[in-house]
Coordinates of all heavy atoms in Angstrom, one line a residue:
M1 N -95.3 -91.5 -191.2 CA -93.9 -91.4 -190.6 C -93.4 -90.0 -190.9 O -93.5 -89.4 -192.0 CB -93.0 -92.4 -191.3 CG -91.7 -92.4 -190.7 SD -90.9 -94.0 -191.1 CE -89.8 -94.1 -189.7
P2 N -92.9 -89.3 -189.8 CA -92.4 -87.9 -190.0 C -91.2 -87.9 -190.9 O -90.4 -88.8 -191.0 CB -92.1 -87.5 -188.5 CG -91.9 -88.7 -187.8 CD -92.7 -89.8 -188.4
K3 N -91.0 -86.7 -191.5 CA -89.9 -86.5 -192.3 C -88.6 -86.4 -191.4 O -88.7 -86.2 -190.2 CB -90.0 -85.2 -193.1 CG -91.2 -85.2 -194.1 CD -91.3 -83.9 -194.8 CE -92.5 -83.9 -195.7 NZ -92.8 -82.6 -196.3
K4 N -87.4 -86.5 -192.0 CA -86.2 -86.5 -191.3 C -86.0 -85.3 -190.4 O -85.6 -85.3 -189.3 CB -85.0 -86.7 -192.2 CG -83.7 -86.9 -191.5 CD -82.6 -87.3 -192.5 CE -81.3 -87.5 -191.7 NZ -80.2 -87.9 -192.6
N5 N -86.2 -84.1 -191.0 CA -86.0 -82.8 -190.2 C -87.2 -82.2 -189.6 O -87.2 -81.1 -189.2 CB -85.3 -81.8 -191.2 CG -83.9 -82.2 -191.6 OD1 -83.3 -82.9 -190.8 ND2 -83.5 -81.8 -192.7
E6 N -88.3 -83.0 -189.5 CA -89.5 -82.5 -188.9 C -89.5 -82.5 -187.4 O -89.0 -83.5 -186.8 CB -90.7 -83.3 -189.4 CG -92.0 -82.7 -189.1 CD -93.2 -83.5 -189.7 OE1 -93.0 -83.9 -190.9 OE2 -94.2 -83.7 -189.0
F7 N -89.9 -81.4 -186.8 CA -89.9 -81.4 -185.3 C -91.0 -82.3 -184.7 O -92.1 -82.2 -185.2 CB -90.1 -79.9 -184.9 CG -89.9 -79.7 -183.4 CD1 -88.6 -79.7 -182.9 CD2 -90.9 -79.5 -182.5 CE1 -88.4 -79.4 -181.6 CE2 -90.7 -79.3 -181.2 CZ -89.4 -79.3 -180.7
P8 N -90.7 -83.1 -183.7 CA -91.7 -84.0 -183.2 C -92.7 -83.3 -182.3 O -92.5 -83.1 -181.1 CB -90.9 -85.0 -182.4 CG -89.6 -84.3 -182.0 CD -89.4 -83.3 -183.1
I9 N -93.8 -83.0 -182.9 CA -94.9 -82.2 -182.2 C -95.7 -83.1 -181.2 O -96.1 -82.6 -180.2 CB -95.8 -81.5 -183.2 CG1 -95.0 -80.5 -184.0 CG2 -96.9 -80.8 -182.5 CD1 -94.4 -79.4 -183.3
E10 N -96.0 -84.3 -181.6 CA -96.9 -85.2 -180.8 C -96.4 -85.3 -179.3 O -97.2 -85.2 -178.4 CB -97.1 -86.5 -181.5 CG -98.1 -86.6 -182.5 CD -99.5 -86.1 -182.1 OE1 -100.0 -86.6 -181.1 OE2 -100.0 -85.2 -182.8
P11 N -95.1 -85.7 -179.1 CA -94.7 -85.8 -177.7 C -94.9 -84.5 -176.9 O -95.3 -84.5 -175.7 CB -93.3 -86.2 -177.7 CG -93.1 -86.8 -179.1 CD -94.1 -86.1 -180.0
I12 N -94.6 -83.4 -177.5 CA -94.8 -82.1 -176.8 C -96.2 -81.8 -176.6 O -96.6 -81.3 -175.5 CB -94.1 -81.0 -177.7 CG1 -92.6 -81.2 -177.7 CG2 -94.4 -79.6 -177.1 CD1 -91.8 -80.3 -178.5
K13 N -97.1 -82.2 -177.5 CA -98.6 -82.0 -177.3 C -99.0 -82.8 -176.0 O -99.8 -82.2 -175.2 CB -99.4 -82.4 -178.5 CG -99.4 -81.4 -179.6 CD -100.3 -81.9 -180.8 CE -100.2 -81.0 -181.9 NZ -101.1 -81.5 -183.0
H14 N -98.6 -84.0 -176.0 CA -99.0 -84.9 -174.8 C -98.4 -84.3 -173.5 O -99.1 -84.3 -172.5 CB -98.6 -86.3 -175.0 CG -99.3 -87.0 -176.2 ND1 -100.6 -87.1 -176.2 CD2 -98.8 -87.5 -177.3 CE1 -101.0 -87.7 -177.4 NE2 -99.9 -88.0 -178.0
T15 N -97.2 -83.8 -173.6 CA -96.6 -83.3 -172.4 C -97.3 -82.0 -171.9 O -97.6 -81.8 -170.7 CB -95.1 -82.9 -172.7 OG1 -94.4 -84.1 -173.1 CG2 -94.4 -82.4 -171.4
M16 N -97.7 -81.2 -172.9 CA -98.5 -80.0 -172.5 C -99.8 -80.3 -172.0 O -100.3 -79.6 -171.1 CB -98.5 -79.0 -173.7 CG -97.2 -78.5 -174.2 SD -96.2 -77.7 -172.9 CE -97.2 -76.3 -172.6
I17 N -100.5 -81.3 -172.5 CA -101.8 -81.7 -172.0 C -101.7 -82.2 -170.5 O -102.5 -81.8 -169.7 CB -102.5 -82.7 -172.9 CG1 -102.9 -82.1 -174.2 CG2 -103.7 -83.3 -172.2 CD1 -103.3 -83.1 -175.3
A18 N -100.7 -83.0 -170.3 CA -100.4 -83.5 -168.9 C -100.1 -82.3 -168.0 O -100.5 -82.3 -166.9 CB -99.3 -84.5 -169.0
L19 N -99.3 -81.4 -168.5 CA -98.9 -80.2 -167.7 C -100.1 -79.4 -167.3 O -100.2 -78.9 -166.2 CB -97.9 -79.4 -168.4 CG -97.3 -78.2 -167.7 CD1 -96.6 -78.7 -166.4 CD2 -96.4 -77.4 -168.6
R20 N -101.0 -79.2 -168.3 CA -102.2 -78.4 -168.0 C -103.1 -79.1 -166.9 O -103.6 -78.5 -166.0 CB -103.1 -78.3 -169.3 CG -102.5 -77.3 -170.2 CD -103.4 -77.2 -171.4 NE -102.7 -76.5 -172.5 CZ -103.0 -76.6 -173.8 NH1 -104.0 -77.4 -174.1 NH2 -102.4 -75.9 -174.7
C21 N -103.2 -80.4 -167.0 CA -104.0 -81.2 -166.0 C -103.4 -81.1 -164.6 O -104.0 -80.8 -163.6 CB -104.1 -82.6 -166.4 SG -105.1 -82.9 -167.9
I22 N -102.1 -81.2 -164.6 CA -101.4 -81.1 -163.3 C -101.5 -79.7 -162.7 O -101.7 -79.5 -161.5 CB -99.9 -81.5 -163.5 CG1 -99.8 -83.0 -163.7 CG2 -99.1 -81.2 -162.2 CD1 -98.5 -83.5 -164.1
L23 N -101.3 -78.7 -163.5 CA -101.4 -77.3 -163.0 C -102.9 -77.0 -162.6 O -103.0 -76.3 -161.7 CB -100.9 -76.3 -164.1 CG -99.4 -76.3 -164.4 CD1 -99.1 -75.4 -165.5 CD2 -98.7 -76.0 -163.1
L24 N -103.8 -77.6 -163.3 CA -105.2 -77.4 -162.8 C -105.4 -78.0 -161.5 O -106.1 -77.4 -160.6 CB -106.2 -78.0 -163.8 CG -107.7 -77.9 -163.5 CD1 -108.1 -76.4 -163.6 CD2 -108.5 -78.7 -164.5
L25 N -104.9 -79.2 -161.2 CA -104.9 -79.8 -159.9 C -104.2 -79.0 -158.9 O -104.7 -78.8 -157.7 CB -104.3 -81.2 -159.9 CG -105.2 -82.3 -160.7 CD1 -104.4 -83.6 -160.8 CD2 -106.5 -82.5 -160.0
V26 N -103.1 -78.4 -159.2 CA -102.4 -77.5 -158.3 C -103.2 -76.3 -157.9 O -103.3 -75.9 -156.7 CB -101.0 -77.1 -158.8 CG1 -100.3 -76.1 -158.0 CG2 -100.1 -78.4 -158.9
I27 N -103.8 -75.7 -158.9 CA -104.6 -74.5 -158.6 C -105.8 -74.9 -157.8 O -106.1 -74.1 -156.8 CB -105.1 -73.9 -160.0 CG1 -103.9 -73.2 -160.7 CG2 -106.2 -72.8 -159.7 CD1 -104.2 -72.8 -162.1
F28 N -106.4 -76.0 -158.0 CA -107.5 -76.4 -157.2 C -107.0 -76.7 -155.7 O -107.7 -76.3 -154.8 CB -108.1 -77.7 -157.7 CG -109.2 -78.3 -156.9 CD1 -110.5 -77.7 -156.9 CD2 -109.0 -79.4 -156.2 CE1 -111.5 -78.2 -156.1 CE2 -110.0 -80.0 -155.4 CZ -111.3 -79.4 -155.4
Y29 N -105.9 -77.3 -155.6 CA -105.3 -77.6 -154.3 C -105.0 -76.3 -153.5 O -105.3 -76.1 -152.3 CB -104.0 -78.4 -154.4 CG -103.3 -78.6 -153.2 CD1 -103.7 -79.5 -152.2 CD2 -102.1 -78.0 -152.9 CE1 -103.1 -79.8 -151.1 CE2 -101.4 -78.2 -151.7 CZ -101.9 -79.1 -150.8 OH -101.2 -79.3 -149.7
V30 N -104.4 -75.3 -154.2 CA -104.1 -74.0 -153.6 C -105.4 -73.3 -153.2 O -105.4 -72.8 -152.0 CB -103.3 -73.1 -154.6 CG1 -103.2 -71.7 -154.1 CG2 -101.9 -73.7 -154.8
V31 N -106.4 -73.3 -154.0 CA -107.7 -72.6 -153.6 C -108.3 -73.3 -152.4 O -108.7 -72.6 -151.5 CB -108.6 -72.6 -154.9 CG1 -110.0 -72.2 -154.4 CG2 -108.1 -71.7 -155.9
V32 N -108.4 -74.6 -152.4 CA -108.9 -75.3 -151.3 C -108.1 -75.1 -150.0 O -108.7 -74.9 -148.9 CB -109.1 -76.8 -151.6 CG1 -109.4 -77.6 -150.4 CG2 -110.1 -77.1 -152.7
S33 N -106.8 -75.1 -150.2 CA -105.9 -74.9 -149.0 C -106.2 -73.5 -148.4 O -106.2 -73.3 -147.2 CB -104.5 -75.0 -149.4 OG -104.3 -76.3 -149.8
I34 N -106.3 -72.5 -149.3 CA -106.5 -71.1 -148.8 C -107.8 -71.0 -148.1 O -108.0 -70.3 -147.1 CB -106.4 -70.1 -150.0 CG1 -104.9 -70.0 -150.5 CG2 -106.9 -68.7 -149.6 CD1 -104.7 -69.2 -151.7
I35 N -108.9 -71.6 -148.7 CA -110.2 -71.6 -148.0 C -110.1 -72.3 -146.7 O -110.7 -71.8 -145.7 CB -111.2 -72.3 -149.0 CG1 -111.5 -71.4 -150.2 CG2 -112.5 -72.5 -148.2 CD1 -112.3 -72.0 -151.3
I36 N -109.5 -73.4 -146.6 CA -109.3 -74.1 -145.3 C -108.6 -73.2 -144.3 O -109.0 -73.1 -143.1 CB -108.6 -75.5 -145.5 CG1 -109.6 -76.4 -146.2 CG2 -108.2 -76.0 -144.1 CD1 -108.9 -77.7 -146.6
L37 N -107.5 -72.6 -144.7 CA -106.7 -71.7 -143.8 C -107.6 -70.5 -143.4 O -107.4 -70.0 -142.3 CB -105.4 -71.3 -144.5 CG -104.4 -72.4 -144.6 CD1 -103.2 -71.8 -145.4 CD2 -103.9 -72.8 -143.3
A38 N -108.4 -70.0 -144.3 CA -109.2 -68.9 -143.9 C -110.3 -69.2 -142.8 O -110.6 -68.4 -142.0 CB -109.9 -68.3 -145.2
Y39 N -110.8 -70.4 -142.9 CA -111.8 -70.8 -141.9 C -111.3 -71.5 -140.6 O -112.0 -71.8 -139.8 CB -112.9 -71.7 -142.6 CG -113.7 -70.9 -143.5 CD1 -113.7 -71.1 -144.9 CD2 -114.6 -70.0 -143.0 CE1 -114.5 -70.4 -145.7 CE2 -115.4 -69.2 -143.8 CZ -115.4 -69.4 -145.2 OH -116.1 -68.7 -146.1
T40 N -110.0 -71.8 -140.6 CA -109.4 -72.4 -139.4 C -108.7 -71.3 -138.6 O -108.8 -70.1 -138.9 CB -108.4 -73.5 -139.7 OG1 -107.3 -72.9 -140.5 CG2 -109.0 -74.6 -140.5
D41 N -108.1 -71.7 -137.5 CA -107.4 -70.7 -136.7 C -106.0 -70.3 -137.2 O -105.3 -69.7 -136.6 CB -107.3 -71.2 -135.3 CG -106.5 -72.5 -135.2 OD1 -106.3 -73.1 -136.2 OD2 -106.2 -73.0 -134.1
R42 N -105.8 -70.8 -138.5 CA -104.5 -70.4 -139.2 C -103.3 -70.8 -138.3 O -102.4 -70.1 -138.1 CB -104.4 -68.9 -139.5 CG -105.5 -68.5 -140.5 CD -105.4 -67.1 -140.8 NE -106.5 -66.7 -141.7 CZ -106.9 -65.5 -141.8 NH1 -106.4 -64.5 -141.1 NH2 -107.9 -65.2 -142.6
A43 N -103.3 -72.1 -137.9 CA -102.1 -72.6 -137.2 C -100.9 -72.5 -138.1 O -100.9 -72.8 -139.3 CB -102.4 -74.0 -136.8
E44 N -99.8 -72.2 -137.4 CA -98.5 -72.0 -138.2 C -98.1 -73.3 -138.9 O -97.6 -73.3 -140.0 CB -97.4 -71.5 -137.2 CG -96.1 -71.2 -137.9 CD -96.2 -70.0 -138.9 OE1 -97.1 -69.1 -138.7 OE2 -95.5 -69.9 -139.8
F45 N -98.2 -74.4 -138.2 CA -97.8 -75.7 -138.8 C -98.6 -76.0 -140.0 O -98.1 -76.6 -141.0 CB -97.8 -76.8 -137.8 CG -99.2 -77.3 -137.5 CD1 -99.8 -78.3 -138.2 CD2 -99.9 -76.7 -136.4 CE1 -101.1 -78.8 -137.8 CE2 -101.2 -77.1 -136.1 CZ -101.8 -78.2 -136.8
L46 N -99.9 -75.7 -140.0 CA -100.7 -76.0 -141.2 C -100.3 -75.1 -142.4 O -100.3 -75.6 -143.5 CB -102.2 -75.7 -140.9 CG -103.2 -76.1 -141.9 CD1 -103.1 -77.6 -142.3 CD2 -104.6 -75.8 -141.5
T47 N -100.0 -73.9 -142.1 CA -99.5 -73.0 -143.2 C -98.2 -73.5 -143.8 O -98.0 -73.5 -145.0 CB -99.3 -71.6 -142.6 OG1 -100.5 -71.1 -142.0 CG2 -98.9 -70.6 -143.7
Q48 N -97.3 -73.9 -142.9 CA -96.0 -74.5 -143.4 C -96.2 -75.7 -144.2 O -95.5 -75.9 -145.2 CB -95.1 -74.7 -142.2 CG -94.6 -73.4 -141.6 CD -93.7 -73.7 -140.4 OE1 -93.5 -74.9 -140.0 NE2 -93.2 -72.7 -139.8
I49 N -97.1 -76.6 -143.8 CA -97.4 -77.8 -144.6 C -97.9 -77.5 -146.0 O -97.4 -78.0 -147.0 CB -98.4 -78.7 -143.8 CG1 -97.7 -79.3 -142.6 CG2 -98.9 -79.8 -144.7 CD1 -98.7 -80.1 -141.7
V50 N -98.8 -76.6 -146.1 CA -99.3 -76.2 -147.4 C -98.2 -75.5 -148.2 O -98.1 -75.9 -149.4 CB -100.5 -75.2 -147.2 CG1 -101.0 -74.7 -148.5 CG2 -101.7 -76.0 -146.5
V51 N -97.5 -74.6 -147.7 CA -96.5 -73.9 -148.4 C -95.4 -74.9 -148.9 O -95.0 -74.9 -150.1 CB -95.8 -72.8 -147.6 CG1 -94.6 -72.2 -148.3 CG2 -96.9 -71.7 -147.4
Y52 N -94.9 -75.8 -148.0 CA -93.8 -76.7 -148.4 C -94.3 -77.8 -149.4 O -93.6 -78.2 -150.3 CB -93.2 -77.4 -147.2 CG -92.3 -76.5 -146.4 CD1 -92.4 -76.4 -145.0 CD2 -91.4 -75.7 -147.0 CE1 -91.6 -75.6 -144.3 CE2 -90.6 -74.8 -146.3 CZ -90.7 -74.8 -145.0 OH -89.9 -74.0 -144.2
S53 N -95.6 -78.2 -149.3 CA -96.1 -79.1 -150.2 C -96.3 -78.5 -151.6 O -95.9 -79.2 -152.6 CB -97.4 -79.7 -149.8 OG -98.4 -78.7 -149.7
I54 N -96.7 -77.3 -151.7 CA -96.8 -76.6 -153.0 C -95.4 -76.4 -153.6 O -95.2 -76.7 -154.8 CB -97.6 -75.3 -152.9 CG1 -99.0 -75.6 -152.5 CG2 -97.5 -74.5 -154.1 CD1 -99.8 -74.3 -152.1
A55 N -94.5 -76.0 -152.8 CA -93.1 -75.7 -153.3 C -92.5 -77.0 -153.8 O -91.8 -77.1 -154.8 CB -92.3 -75.1 -152.2
G56 N -92.7 -78.1 -153.0 CA -92.1 -79.4 -153.4 C -92.7 -79.9 -154.7 O -92.1 -80.5 -155.5
F57 N -94.0 -79.7 -154.8 CA -94.7 -80.1 -156.0 C -94.2 -79.4 -157.2 O -93.9 -80.0 -158.2 CB -96.2 -79.9 -155.8 CG -97.1 -80.4 -157.0 CD1 -97.5 -81.7 -157.0 CD2 -97.4 -79.6 -158.0 CE1 -98.3 -82.2 -158.0 CE2 -98.2 -80.0 -159.1 CZ -98.6 -81.3 -159.1
F58 N -94.1 -78.1 -157.2 CA -93.6 -77.3 -158.3 C -92.2 -77.7 -158.6 O -91.8 -77.8 -159.8 CB -93.8 -75.8 -158.0 CG -95.1 -75.2 -158.4 CD1 -95.9 -74.7 -157.5 CD2 -95.5 -75.2 -159.7 CE1 -97.2 -74.2 -157.8 CE2 -96.7 -74.7 -160.1 CZ -97.5 -74.2 -159.2
T59 N -91.4 -77.8 -157.6 CA -89.9 -78.1 -157.8 C -89.8 -79.4 -158.5 O -89.0 -79.5 -159.5 CB -89.2 -78.1 -156.5 OG1 -89.4 -76.9 -155.8 CG2 -87.7 -78.4 -156.7
F60 N -90.5 -80.5 -158.0 CA -90.3 -81.8 -158.7 C -90.8 -81.8 -160.1 O -90.1 -82.2 -161.0 CB -91.0 -82.8 -157.8 CG -91.0 -84.2 -158.5 CD1 -89.9 -85.0 -158.4 CD2 -92.1 -84.7 -159.1 CE1 -89.8 -86.2 -159.0 CE2 -92.1 -85.9 -159.7 CZ -90.9 -86.7 -159.7
F61 N -92.1 -81.3 -160.3 CA -92.7 -81.5 -161.6 C -92.1 -80.5 -162.6 O -91.9 -80.8 -163.8 CB -94.2 -81.3 -161.6 CG -94.8 -82.6 -161.1 CD1 -95.3 -82.8 -159.9 CD2 -94.8 -83.7 -162.0 CE1 -95.9 -84.0 -159.5 CE2 -95.4 -84.9 -161.6 CZ -95.9 -85.0 -160.3
M62 N -91.7 -79.3 -162.2 CA -91.1 -78.4 -163.2 C -89.7 -78.9 -163.6 O -89.3 -78.8 -164.7 CB -91.0 -77.0 -162.6 CG -92.3 -76.3 -162.4 SD -93.3 -76.2 -163.9 CE -94.6 -77.4 -163.5
G63 N -89.0 -79.5 -162.6 CA -87.7 -80.1 -162.9 C -87.9 -81.3 -163.9 O -87.1 -81.4 -164.8
Y64 N -88.9 -82.1 -163.6 CA -89.1 -83.3 -164.5 C -89.5 -82.9 -165.9 O -89.0 -83.4 -166.8 CB -90.2 -84.2 -163.8 CG -90.6 -85.3 -164.7 CD1 -89.8 -86.4 -164.9 CD2 -91.8 -85.2 -165.4 CE1 -90.2 -87.4 -165.8 CE2 -92.2 -86.3 -166.3 CZ -91.4 -87.4 -166.5 OH -91.7 -88.4 -167.3
F65 N -90.5 -81.9 -166.0 CA -90.9 -81.5 -167.3 C -89.8 -80.8 -168.1 O -89.7 -80.9 -169.3 CB -92.2 -80.7 -167.3 CG -93.4 -81.5 -167.0 CD1 -94.2 -81.3 -165.9 CD2 -93.7 -82.6 -167.8 CE1 -95.4 -82.0 -165.6 CE2 -94.8 -83.4 -167.5 CZ -95.7 -83.1 -166.5
G66 N -89.0 -80.0 -167.3 CA -87.9 -79.4 -168.0 C -86.9 -80.4 -168.5 O -86.3 -80.2 -169.6
W67 N -86.7 -81.4 -167.7 CA -85.7 -82.5 -168.2 C -86.3 -83.2 -169.4 O -85.6 -83.5 -170.4 CB -85.5 -83.5 -167.0 CG -84.7 -84.7 -167.4 CD1 -83.4 -84.7 -167.7 CD2 -85.2 -86.0 -167.6 NE1 -83.0 -86.0 -168.0 CE2 -84.1 -86.8 -168.0 CE3 -86.5 -86.6 -167.5 CZ2 -84.2 -88.1 -168.3 CZ3 -86.6 -87.9 -167.8 CH2 -85.5 -88.7 -168.2
V68 N -87.6 -83.5 -169.4 CA -88.2 -84.2 -170.6 C -88.1 -83.3 -171.8 O -87.8 -83.7 -172.9 CB -89.7 -84.6 -170.2 CG1 -90.4 -85.0 -171.5 CG2 -89.7 -85.7 -169.2
L69 N -88.5 -82.0 -171.6 CA -88.4 -81.1 -172.8 C -87.0 -80.9 -173.3 O -86.8 -81.0 -174.5 CB -89.0 -79.7 -172.4 CG -89.0 -78.7 -173.4 CD1 -89.9 -79.1 -174.6 CD2 -89.4 -77.3 -172.9
A70 N -86.0 -80.8 -172.4 CA -84.6 -80.7 -172.8 C -84.1 -81.9 -173.5 O -83.4 -81.8 -174.5 CB -83.7 -80.4 -171.6
S71 N -84.5 -83.1 -173.1 CA -84.1 -84.3 -173.7 C -84.8 -84.5 -175.1 O -84.1 -84.9 -176.1 CB -84.4 -85.6 -172.9 OG -85.8 -85.7 -172.7
Q72 N -86.0 -84.0 -175.2 CA -86.7 -84.0 -176.6 C -86.0 -83.1 -177.5 O -85.8 -83.4 -178.7 CB -88.2 -83.7 -176.4 CG -89.0 -84.8 -175.8 CD -90.4 -84.4 -175.6 OE1 -90.8 -83.3 -175.9 NE2 -91.2 -85.3 -175.1
I73 N -85.7 -81.9 -177.0 CA -85.0 -80.9 -177.9 C -83.6 -81.4 -178.3 O -83.2 -81.3 -179.4 CB -84.9 -79.5 -177.2 CG1 -86.3 -78.9 -177.1 CG2 -84.0 -78.6 -177.9 CD1 -86.4 -77.7 -176.3
T74 N -82.9 -82.0 -177.3 CA -81.5 -82.6 -177.6 C -81.6 -83.7 -178.6 O -80.8 -83.7 -179.6 CB -80.9 -83.1 -176.3 OG1 -80.8 -82.0 -175.4 CG2 -79.5 -83.6 -176.6
E75 N -82.6 -84.5 -178.5 CA -82.8 -85.6 -179.4 C -83.1 -85.1 -180.8 O -82.6 -85.6 -181.8 CB -83.9 -86.6 -178.9 CG -84.2 -87.7 -179.8 CD -85.3 -88.6 -179.3 OE1 -85.5 -88.6 -178.1 OE2 -86.0 -89.2 -180.2
W76 N -84.0 -84.1 -180.9 CA -84.3 -83.5 -182.2 C -83.1 -82.8 -182.8 O -82.9 -83.0 -184.0 CB -85.5 -82.5 -182.0 CG -85.8 -81.7 -183.2 CD1 -86.4 -82.2 -184.3 CD2 -85.6 -80.4 -183.5 NE1 -86.6 -81.2 -185.3 CE2 -86.0 -80.1 -184.8 CE3 -85.0 -79.3 -182.7 CZ2 -86.0 -78.8 -185.3 CZ3 -84.9 -78.1 -183.3 CH2 -85.4 -77.8 -184.6
L77 N -82.3 -82.1 -182.0 CA -81.1 -81.4 -182.6 C -80.1 -82.4 -183.1 O -79.4 -82.2 -184.1 CB -80.6 -80.5 -181.6 CG -81.4 -79.2 -181.3 CD1 -80.7 -78.4 -180.2 CD2 -81.5 -78.4 -182.6
T78 N -79.9 -83.5 -182.3 CA -78.9 -84.5 -182.7 C -79.3 -85.3 -184.0 O -78.5 -85.7 -184.8 CB -78.5 -85.5 -181.6 OG1 -79.8 -86.1 -181.1 CG2 -77.9 -84.8 -180.4
K79 N -80.6 -85.5 -184.1 CA -81.1 -86.2 -185.3 C -81.1 -85.3 -186.5 O -81.2 -85.8 -187.7 CB -82.5 -86.8 -185.1 CG -82.5 -88.0 -184.2 CD -83.8 -88.6 -184.0 CE -83.8 -89.8 -183.2 NZ -85.2 -90.4 -183.0
R80 N -81.2 -84.0 -186.3 CA -81.3 -83.0 -187.4 C -80.0 -83.0 -188.2 O -80.0 -82.8 -189.4 CB -81.6 -81.7 -186.8 CG -81.9 -80.6 -187.8 CD -82.4 -79.4 -187.1 NE -82.6 -78.4 -188.1 CZ -82.9 -77.1 -187.8 NH1 -83.0 -76.8 -186.6 NH2 -83.1 -76.3 -188.8
N81 N -78.9 -83.2 -187.6 CA -77.6 -83.1 -188.2 C -77.3 -84.2 -189.1 O -77.5 -85.2 -189.2 CB -76.4 -82.8 -187.3 CG -76.6 -81.5 -186.6 OD1 -77.1 -80.6 -187.1 ND2 -76.1 -81.4 -185.4

């Protein structure tokens, strides 16, 4: 059991591992998308689909992980006092 004023490292470790896996998938998706766009006729709608999907992915998950991290820090600070 952690001490009263000890920072909860385990949830942050799990969050960072999940974040690494997700970012690896995003990098793979971006590379594959770029390769596909390079070998196609580079239709404008295909480029927009790829760009908007990447932007939406980053917006959602960065917001989510920011919210989780902020709630963990808030919980740690409120329990510290």
Side-chain angles (χ1 to χ4, degrees):
M1 183 158 208
K3 296 177 184 176
K4 186 174 182 179
N5 291 333
E6 188 175 320
F7 191 75
I9 297 296
E10 278 304 308
I12 294 175
K13 282 183 182 179
H14 294 300
T15 303
M16 294 308 291
I17 291 170
L19 183 62
R20 286 181 195 158
C21 293
I22 290 171
L23 290 178
L24 182 64
L25 289 174
V26 169
I27 290 171
F28 178 73
Y29 175 73
V30 169
V31 169
V32 169
S33 300
I34 290 172
I35 291 171
I36 289 172
L37 287 173
Y39 287 111
T40 61
D41 59 350
R42 298 181 182 157
E44 185 66 27
F45 72 93
L46 185 59
T47 305
Q48 288 178 357
I49 289 172
V50 170
V51 169
Y52 286 135
S53 63
I54 292 170
F57 185 86
F58 272 115
T59 301
F60 176 77
F61 280 107
M62 292 305 108
Y64 173 74
F65 285 124
W67 174 73
V68 168
L69 181 63
S71 65
Q72 288 177 355
I73 290 173
T74 303
E75 181 180 332
W76 175 68
L77 288 175
T78 55
K79 287 183 179 180
R80 188 173 178 187
N81 293 333

